[in-house]
Structure formats: C-alpha cells, structure tokens
Amino acid sequence: MHYSVSLIGSGNVAWHLSQALEKAGHQVREIYSRTPGHAERVAEKLYDAQVVTSLDFSESESDVFLLCVSDDAIGRVADELILPDEDAVVCHTSGTQPLDLLAGREHAGVFYPLQTFTSNRRLDLTTVPFCIESTDQHTEQVLVGIAQSISRTVYLVDAQERKMLHVGAVFACNFTNHLLALSRHLLAQEGLEFGLLKPLVRETFEKALEAADPATVQTGPAVREDYQVIHAHLDYLQRTPHWQALYKSITDSIVLLSRRG
Amino acid sequence: MHYSVSLIGSGNVAWHLSQALEKAGHQVREIYSRTPGHAERVAEKLYDAQVVTSLDFSESESDVFLLCVSDDAIGRVADELILPDEDAVVCHTSGTQPLDLLAGREHAGVFYPLQTFTSNRRLDLTTVPFCIESTDQHTEQVLVGIAQSISRTVYLVDAQERKMLHVGAVFACNFTNHLLALSRHLLAQEGLEFGLLKPLVRETFEKALEAADPATVQTGPAVREDYQVIHAHLDYLQRTPHWQALYKSITDSIVLLSRRG
C-alpha cells in the first residue's frame, strides 16, 4: 500500500528517507523547515514536494507525518503541529526519545532507522533495520508497511529495547569512532599517518562483524593479560594522563569480560 | 632480488608470511617449530620447505631468518638460535619488542607487518604496511627489499615510532573490538541480536576511515554534550556498574577531544 507522507524537518534523515519513500512508490507531499533553504535542498531531490514553513497541516492530504527533527525539538514541534484529522499517523524518528512526546495523538509511533545519516552520501536503506513502536494497531500496520517498502529488516521494539539498542549503538559506533580519532591523534604526535593503521582497522572490523561474538576474536595485550606490554603502553601515555586513564579502563574491561567468558 | 628464508615459528604470522614470500619468488627453506605438527601445517602450503625442530641452523643455506614467535619467546629463541654465518640476517616480527632482543647479531632487524593474522583467512598482504627497523644498512636493504616484494607499503620506523604505532593499534583495533563485544552483550541482555547493529557499525567505520580525521565525523550524545541522553544511558547501565564507568570515561574523553578541537 502506498501512502502520502509529509516530512517535518530537513536534515540528513529527511534527505535520505524522503528519497527512499518516493523510490518505494509513496508520495512525499510536503517538507517542513523553519529555514526554507534547507527544505528546498531536500525537495529538489523529490518529484513534486512542496516546501512549507508552517506547522499547520490542516489542509494537507498526507496520511503520515514523519518528524525528522533533532531530539530536543520533537516535543515543541509535536505541540505546534496541526494535523488534517484524527486519522493521520504521526511519528518521530528518534532512537532515544519516548513515544509519549506525541501524547494526545490518536495514531502515534516511532519510526527509527538504526543508522547514521550523512547527507549526499549513498546509503543502501534496504539493509538498514527500522525499529517500530506504536500506540495502536492501525499505526503499527502503517509504519511497518512503509518500513517494509524501504527496508528488508523491520523490527517491532518496545521502549526498553529501543533504549538498549541506542546504548549499544553508542558503544559500538560513537565510542569506537572516538577510539579511532584518539588513535589518529596519538600517531600524529609522532608524525605518523593514520593511514598506516587503516588496513589493520578494516581487518579488525571485518573479523568482528563476521564473528558470532566479537569477544571471541579479541586480540591484543589486555586479553592475553600481558602486563609487560600494558605497562610499557601506560608509561608511553604518561604525557597524556587522560588517554592513559582511558587505556587503563578499557584494558580492565577487556580482562573482566574475558575472565567471565 | 630473491632470498632464501627460514621461518622460526609456525603460528598465523608464519602461515601468512611464508606463502607471501614464495609468491614473491623467495625460497622458504625451513620452518622451525618445537611442535612438528604445527610446522607441517605451514609447510604443506609451501613448495619444498623442510620442517625442523632444532634451532641449530649452522648448515642452513638461508640468507634471512624470520622469528615469527610470540613476544615473550623472542629473547629465548634468539639466544638459542645458531646461524650459518655472520652474513645471515635475523629479525623478529613483533610490534612491541625491542630490536636489542637480537643483540650480538651482526645483521639484525625488525620486520613488523602491521596487521592482525588469523590462519586460513585470506589477507591481501599487498595492502599491509611493513615497518622496518635495522641495525645496519645491509639488513635494511634486505628487509626493505623483501617487504617491497610482498607489500606496496613499506616504512622505516624507529623504536619510538613502532611503539606508538602499536599503542595506536591497540586503541584503534583491540579496544574498538572490545566495544563491539560489550555492545553485543548489552543487546543480548534484552534478547536483541547484535546483527541489528551491524549496518550501523559498517557505515560508522567506512565513514571514519574515509575521513581525514575520524574526530570530524563523530556523532552521538557525547559530542553534542546532550546530558539528558547521557544521563538516561548512565541510569540504564546501573545494573552493570563497570560498563557504566566505561561509558562515562569514554564520554568524558569525547567531550574533551571535541572541546580541544
């Protein structure tokens, strides 16, 4: 089934989702932004979407209203949003925010694509897991239908599971990215290029993602409890006590997890 | 120029290097292991390598002796090793151990492939950086020659740089792998599959490796200093205080790095 959709917000999530929606046969009617230029950047990739700057959608013919705004704007935007009627489905796309930010709506949901979005970067949305939560069966049916038209991987998750997914994603993505950033800084201190480590990083990640459990392919001095190397590294990091402390925390955590098995 | 090479050790590094050496036209003459079965596993992939169980290589016709043994065995093996003559080049393949473990040899070096090796897993060694350190010009010439016949990326590094590369690799690879393992455990607590996060992990790493500096593509609550989300996550992790502490350490480190710019 095809739906008419309006997107509230004009960032990277709106940029990617709107194009995927059209490709799947849905009609994107409106793109809202407080800053019309931003909405135009999204709309220009679409067949016939209108740029709007008002949250009054009482005249809109859309069935579904997707809030693709930052977490802290969801509540405010939801409060100002005027829907055409009570049949309209409204959902936000956040991994962390509760469904009850949309309280008072007849048909509310969360439509959370578990991915990081960068504009102008090609992404295969068919492999992106969509996590759906909803107040009622009609909303669930609509959101699951849309998600399945875009992606092969659609999950119904409750609030608790969605929160855990987000915490897990922070560890697996935000934190790992930071460790790569730190590593680049460390190398730069010696005038070494980060590129030197890239083949090793690629192989590490491929192995970790192929393993049923990344713990089983853990290598390095910590899992071997090779304290000679660990102490040499800690000495080396004395110039940067903060990174030394971080090295110690993660090393302890590896030892703990590997002893637990 | 092609060399005759003997490998001391029969683990994953020996398994990969020996095949790459033959492919590049060098002759692998001997594979040493205390456990002949292990050496046979390596030798069976080779044209005509002999399995040996003695470190007396006085009759060997090899020019180069590559120690592919664990870090803590290098010193002992180097002490027992009898080379055919003083022209022979001997080197170890460790990222962390000092060159002077081979003290007393005329031509000694480090031949460090900056990669993680798993046996039976295909690896494109041409993209693996080889880091060379040596006591003298002859050794440097031999080791650089061999490295360049295997890989497109060969670096001369001093002891300090090699140590930093290893510390950087621990952050970028061992520690990131651990974070993936933790993330899997977190999801498992809610009965969620780690596979759900894999598309996000892949995209995160591709972005980080394409960026000149992974710090510039950092996302998540820490870099936004979104303490509402951070505190919700810390609350969530109360059941596992160790992971909560780790979450806090890495979050602090992200904030610090992003404020520094």
Side-chain angles (χ1 to χ4, degrees):
Chain A
M1 182 156 170
H2 294 146
Y3 296 95
S4 286
V5 184
S6 293
L7 273 76
I8 322 296
S10 56
N12 296 331
V13 175
W15 193 86
H16 282 280
L17 274 187
S18 59
Q19 293 174 61
L21 286 166
E22 278 203 349
K23 209 174 147 194
H26 307 291
Q27 185 176 0
V28 179
R29 290 186 178 270
E30 289 112 5
I31 307 285
Y32 163 88
S33 173
R34 279 187 301 188
T35 318
H38 293 176
E40 272 153 24
R41 199 184 60 95
V42 176
E44 75 190 13
K45 291 279 182 187
L46 303 174
Y47 178 65
D48 190 28
Q50 302 304 308
V51 169
V52 299
T53 54
S54 157
L55 285 167
D56 180 353
F57 284 90
S58 50
E59 302 299 316
S60 172
E61 292 178 47
S62 287
D63 315 302
V64 179
F65 295 80
L66 277 177
L67 270 61
C68 307
V69 298
S70 62
D71 282 4
D72 52 1
I74 294 171
R76 182 185 53 73
V77 169
D79 288 345
E80 286 182 36
L81 186 67
I82 300 170
L83 297 180
D85 56 53
E86 292 199 339
D87 291 342
V89 167
V90 59
C91 58
H92 71 66
T93 52
S94 164
T96 54
Q97 297 303 303
L99 177 49
D100 63 18
L101 280 180
L102 308 177
R105 305 294 178 176
E106 195 79 14
H107 302 295
V110 179
F111 187 82
Y112 169 43
L114 188 53
Q115 186 52 283
T116 174
F117 293 92
T118 310
S119 65
N120 295 316
R121 191 183 155 86
R122 279 223 164 278
L123 249 189
D124 179 7
L125 281 185
T126 64
T127 68
V128 172
F130 279 73
C131 302
I132 308 293
E133 197 181 329
S134 36
T135 51
D136 62 292
Q137 217 163 358
H138 171 68
T139 305
E140 180 179 307
Q141 197 186 336
V142 171
L143 295 185
V144 167
I146 294 177
Q148 285 179 338
S149 73
I150 295 176
S151 168
R152 286 192 304 271
T153 323
V154 179
Y155 290 82
L156 298 176
V157 297
D158 63 24
Q160 173 76 355
E161 289 170 334
R162 187 160 50 90
K163 191 178 252 181
M164 182 46 99
L165 276 174
H166 197 255
V167 176
V170 165
F171 273 96
C173 300
N174 300 157
F175 287 179
T176 52
N177 184 79
H178 177 61
L179 293 179
L180 296 177
L182 277 194
S183 176
R184 196 203 70 88
H185 276 247
L186 280 165
L187 263 60
Q189 286 184 352
E190 296 290 340
L192 294 165
E193 302 233 349
F194 183 55
L196 259 166
L197 287 183
K198 285 186 179 178
L200 179 56
V201 173
R202 280 187 211 287
E203 175 71 5
T204 301
F205 278 90
E206 278 171 28
K207 259 161 74 172
L209 292 178
E210 282 173 25
D213 179 351
T216 61
V217 295
Q218 184 69 52
T219 60
V223 75
R224 292 195 308 272
E225 300 197 38
D226 180 344
Y227 290 103
Q228 196 199 335
V229 169
I230 290 167
H231 288 137
H233 287 178
L234 290 172
D235 281 350
Y236 192 90
L237 292 166
Q238 259 175 337
R239 281 188 289 171
T240 47
H242 183 79
W243 296 355
Q244 191 191 42
L246 195 61
Y247 184 104
K248 210 175 162 322
S249 306
I250 304 179
T251 292
D252 289 348
S253 183
I254 293 173
V255 171
L256 201 69
L257 190 69
S258 82
R259 283 188 189 167
R260 254 191 224 168
Chain B
M1 183 156 168
H2 293 146
Y3 295 95
S4 286
V5 184
S6 293
L7 272 78
I8 322 295
S10 55
N12 297 333
V13 175
W15 193 86
H16 283 279
L17 273 187
S18 59
Q19 293 173 60
L21 286 166
E22 278 202 352
K23 208 173 148 196
H26 307 290
Q27 185 176 359
V28 179
R29 290 184 177 269
E30 289 112 6
I31 307 285
Y32 163 88
S33 172
R34 278 187 301 186
T35 318
H38 294 175
E40 272 153 24
R41 198 184 60 96
V42 176
E44 75 190 11
K45 291 280 182 186
L46 303 174
Y47 179 64
D48 189 28
Q50 302 304 306
V51 170
V52 299
T53 55
S54 157
L55 285 166
D56 181 353
F57 285 88
S58 51
E59 303 299 315
S60 172
E61 291 179 46
S62 287
D63 315 302
V64 179
F65 295 80
L66 277 177
L67 271 61
C68 306
V69 298
S70 62
D71 281 6
D72 52 1
I74 295 171
R76 181 185 54 74
V77 169
D79 287 345
E80 286 182 36
L81 185 67
I82 300 171
L83 298 179
D85 56 51
E86 291 200 338
D87 292 342
V89 167
V90 58
C91 59
H92 72 64
T93 51
S94 165
T96 54
Q97 297 303 303
L99 178 47
D100 62 18
L101 280 181
L102 309 176
R105 305 293 177 176
E106 196 79 14
H107 302 295
V110 179
F111 186 81
Y112 169 41
L114 189 50
Q115 185 52 281
T116 174
F117 293 93
T118 310
S119 65
N120 296 316
R121 191 182 153 87
R122 281 224 164 276
L123 248 188
D124 180 7
L125 282 184
T126 64
T127 67
V128 172
F130 279 74
C131 302
I132 308 293
E133 195 180 331
S134 36
T135 52
D136 63 290
Q137 215 162 358
H138 171 67
T139 306
E140 179 178 308
Q141 196 186 335
V142 171
L143 296 184
V144 167
I146 294 176
Q148 285 178 338
S149 72
I150 296 176
S151 168
R152 288 194 303 271
T153 323
V154 179
Y155 289 81
L156 297 176
V157 298
D158 62 25
Q160 173 76 357
E161 288 169 336
R162 186 160 50 89
K163 190 179 253 179
M164 182 46 99
L165 276 174
H166 196 255
V167 176
V170 166
F171 274 96
C173 299
N174 300 157
F175 288 179
T176 52
N177 184 78
H178 176 61
L179 294 178
L180 296 178
L182 278 193
S183 176
R184 195 202 71 87
H185 276 247
L186 281 164
L187 263 61
Q189 286 184 351
E190 297 290 341
L192 294 164
E193 301 234 350
F194 183 54
L196 259 165
L197 286 182
K198 286 185 180 178
L200 179 57
V201 173
R202 280 186 211 287
E203 174 71 5
T204 301
F205 277 90
E206 278 170 30
K207 259 162 75 172
L209 291 177
E210 282 173 25
D213 180 351
T216 60
V217 295
Q218 183 70 52
T219 58
V223 75
R224 293 195 308 270
E225 299 196 38
D226 181 343
Y227 290 103
Q228 195 200 335
V229 169
I230 290 168
H231 288 137
H233 287 177
L234 289 172
D235 281 349
Y236 191 90
L237 293 166
Q238 258 173 339
R239 282 188 288 170
T240 47
H242 184 79
W243 296 355
Q244 190 190 43
L246 196 61
Y247 184 104
K248 209 172 163 325
S249 305
I250 304 178
T251 293
D252 289 347
S253 184
I254 293 174
V255 171
L256 201 70
L257 190 69
S258 82
R259 284 189 186 166
R260 253 191 223 165

